[in-house]
Amino acid sequence: EKMNSTMSEEPDALSVVNQLRDLAADPLNRRAIVQDQGCLPGLILFLDHPNPPVVHSALLALRYLAECRANREKMKSELGMMLSLQNVIQKTTTPGETKLLASEVYDILQSSNMSDMDNVNEMNYRRRKAQFFLGSTNKRAKTVVLHIDGLDDSSRRNLCEEALLKIKGVISFTFQMAVQRCVVRIRSDLKAEALATAIASTKVMKAQQVVKSESGEEMLVPFQDTPVEVEQNTDLPEYLPEDESPTREQDKAVSRVGSHPEGAASWLSTAANFLSRSFYW
């Protein structure tokens, strides 16, 4: 477990945004972060940061915050939010994974107050527009569902996470531990076999792909045993998001003992102070 850089008097941008991202990962902190005066404006400003890992980490934090439905309207109307997301998507220098993550956040916020039908139409429209922005080199993302033998506790899950994060082209993933599954969003030019190779490299887990037959039944398809060359990720932060499982409203999760540490609240004020000193002088 890597320690976050210690919070000295002047923490640097990456350690601040990573700390916010880690706080936002806990569903029980999400409302407090969005209610806080300084955090949302600060995250928006981080979207313009010259350091790509800072931008990616800020997007992950926003992606977590947007999982809480109650946050979406406020986030969408926050000054500069939608504009900054568009800038990230349209900037030619933005890495492909970051563009896709930004358009995912944009879609969620854009459709926050629509009926389901409008929602679907709007999402399709946004997706076509995002594809246009992304250009031919970054074709759409695709989703691969993996069944992972051996994925049975949090240390195995961490191993799996680390292996997937080393692959260039992985955007995000969701674990469904109860059924030993991992739903991975990847760039469409990445082969699913690369995921299997990475998971096999842990030596304790093995992946099969979950596919639907024509009759709609799920089947497990083993990957070929020949390892695939995997292009390593060099320019991304060490962490990618876990979506909430659509089958369960995480915001209604029963409060776990000790998961509302005073630390989170005091840390928010430290972050807000840092953000206001950095940006509003």
Side-chain angles (χ1 to χ4, degrees):
E1 191 67 24
K2 283 198 289 291
M3 291 296 291
N4 280 329
S5 18
T6 47
M7 288 297 165
S8 56
E9 281 308 294
E10 274 300 327
D12 68 332
L14 189 59
S15 62
V16 169
V17 77
N18 283 349
Q19 189 80 32
L20 275 172
R21 177 204 66 199
D22 292 346
L23 286 171
D26 184 343
L28 296 164
N29 291 330
R30 288 174 190 160
R31 286 195 190 188
I33 293 172
V34 168
Q35 297 309 318
D36 185 89
Q37 294 305 300
C39 288
L40 217 47
L43 283 170
I44 292 169
L45 288 161
F46 277 141
L47 294 178
D48 286 332
H49 201 278
N51 186 8
V54 170
V55 176
H56 198 88
S57 197
L59 282 167
L60 291 172
L62 292 170
R63 176 73 183 77
Y64 279 131
L65 297 175
E67 283 180 17
C68 170
R69 280 173 196 282
N71 283 341
R72 290 175 191 170
E73 275 306 301
K74 184 172 188 329
M75 289 175 71
K76 183 181 173 181
S77 58
E78 189 72 37
L79 188 67
M81 172 72 79
M82 301 308 270
L83 205 60
S84 296
L85 287 170
Q86 273 182 315
N87 287 342
V88 173
I89 294 166
Q90 292 173 29
K91 227 189 239 166
T92 50
T93 53
T94 306
E97 287 86 354
T98 306
K99 284 189 183 198
L100 286 163
L101 186 55
S103 47
E104 216 166 86
V105 176
Y106 189 103
D107 280 354
I108 292 169
L109 297 182
Q110 186 62 31
S111 56
S112 61
N113 56 357
M114 297 182 187
S115 74
D116 285 349
M117 205 47 234
D118 287 348
N119 212 332
V120 171
N121 293 338
E122 173 68 21
M123 285 291 221
N124 289 338
Y125 166 70
R126 296 267 6 124
R127 216 158 263 140
R128 283 199 302 277
K129 202 165 167 191
Q131 266 174 278
F132 172 74
F133 289 145
L134 293 170
S136 55
T137 49
N138 297 314
K139 298 184 200 69
R140 288 171 49 194
K142 62 185 177 186
T143 301
V144 179
V145 181
L146 301 175
H147 176 84
I148 301 175
D149 293 316
L151 180 66
D152 43 26
D153 64 22
S154 56
S155 66
R156 292 281 177 91
R157 170 188 159 144
N158 290 345
L159 272 178
C160 195
E161 211 166 82
E162 281 171 26
L164 291 173
L165 278 170
K166 291 190 179 122
I167 305 173
K168 197 173 176 61
V170 168
I171 299 157
S172 66
F173 39 71
T174 309
F175 285 98
Q176 297 168 347
M177 296 296 286
V179 286
Q180 294 191 309
R181 283 193 183 178
C182 181
V183 181
V184 193
R185 297 272 294 156
I186 58 176
R187 294 253 298 271
S188 57
D189 50 3
L190 178 67
K191 288 188 165 58
E193 283 75 14
L195 306 177
T197 302
I199 287 163
S201 74
T202 63
K203 303 280 193 284
V204 289
M205 287 175 283
K206 195 174 173 196
Q208 299 179 78
Q209 190 168 358
V210 181
V211 294
K212 279 209 163 88
S213 66
E214 284 175 17
S215 60
E217 283 187 50
E218 290 191 343
M219 303 185 304
L220 292 184
V221 181
F223 287 99
Q224 301 305 317
D225 277 341
T226 47
V228 180
E229 265 307 300
V230 174
E231 194 181 346
Q232 299 286 302
N233 233 337
T234 48
D235 57 351
L236 277 186
E238 66 285 355
Y239 183 92
L240 284 169
E242 178 184 330
D243 300 318
E244 91 182 324
S245 158
T247 53
R248 197 178 79 238
E249 270 291 312
Q250 284 201 324
D251 302 314
K252 300 199 181 77
V254 179
S255 179
R256 300 187 298 284
V257 179
S259 77
H260 256 311
E262 300 317 307
S266 66
W267 207 89
L268 283 178
S269 60
T270 310
N273 285 340
F274 169 78
L275 294 169
S276 59
R277 277 203 309 280
S278 310
F279 298 121
Y280 308 126
W281 33 265

